[in-house]
Amino acid sequence: MATIEHSAILKAPPERVFALLERVEDFADYSDLIQAIEPLGEARYRWHVHAVGRDWTFDVAITESRAPELLAWESLDGVENQGCYRLTPVAEGTEVALTLTYVLRSRLVEKAVSRAAKPLVGRVSRQILERVEARL
């Protein structure tokens, strides 16, 4: 299992940050790599992403939504993954911490993907949080 972590401080209270993060379908507006997100109902979403030269489609379900401190999800198909955003009030606003774990069936493939995925997920996470902050 591989883990990717990223955090940033946004200059807004946790309630405002969480209100934007829980609107999962809007993530397509926050990153150049996310082409679209379709709501499927019952806190499930189909993501359409273009990364590392190919198109990816996968379904995720929100597994926990506890405003304004935690938003967690897990994959329903495709690459097995789960993640969460944890929001913590700080003097400057809100610290937003992303943790994403994923499993690939081959250790060799996992090493290769990790080298590409960590900077890619970091870039997407930075884009999302920067654009969320701009929207705030």
Side-chain angles (χ1 to χ4, degrees):
M1 178 182 306
T3 301
I4 299 172
E5 296 177 320
H6 178 255
S7 66
I9 294 177
L10 304 185
K11 295 177 178 144
E15 295 78 14
R16 288 188 58 211
V17 176
F18 188 89
L20 289 180
L21 290 177
E22 74 177 340
R23 294 177 52 157
V24 176
E25 60 275 13
D26 289 350
F27 275 46
D29 297 336
Y30 302 150
S31 174
D32 300 335
L33 301 176
I34 303 170
Q35 296 178 320
I37 299 174
E38 299 173 59
L40 302 175
E42 299 179 20
R44 295 175 38 213
Y45 300 87
R46 178 160 298 139
W47 289 58
H48 300 273
V49 176
H50 183 80
V52 292
R54 58 183 288 213
D55 292 326
W56 305 80
T57 300
F58 51 91
D59 293 353
V60 300
I62 301 299
T63 57
E64 189 172 358
S65 180
R66 199 171 59 230
E69 58 216 25
L70 178 73
L71 182 66
W73 64 90
E74 67 181 5
S75 62
L76 301 173
D77 63 6
V79 175
E80 182 182 335
N81 72 88
Q82 59 188 27
C84 70
Y85 280 112
R86 292 188 188 282
L87 286 71
T88 306
V90 294
E92 303 90 343
T94 303
E95 179 179 19
V96 181
L98 166 69
T99 302
L100 176 67
T101 60
Y102 61 92
V103 177
L104 298 173
R105 299 294 173 224
S106 161
R107 291 187 60 61
L108 182 62
V109 171
E110 186 170 311
K111 279 187 167 186
V113 168
S114 288
R115 279 196 298 275
K118 285 186 180 190
L120 186 65
V121 170
R123 178 178 144 206
V124 170
S125 181
R126 275 191 301 281
Q127 277 185 347
I128 288 169
L129 294 178
E130 286 169 0
R131 292 177 185 180
V132 163
E133 185 171 40
R135 199 169 270 194
L136 289 167

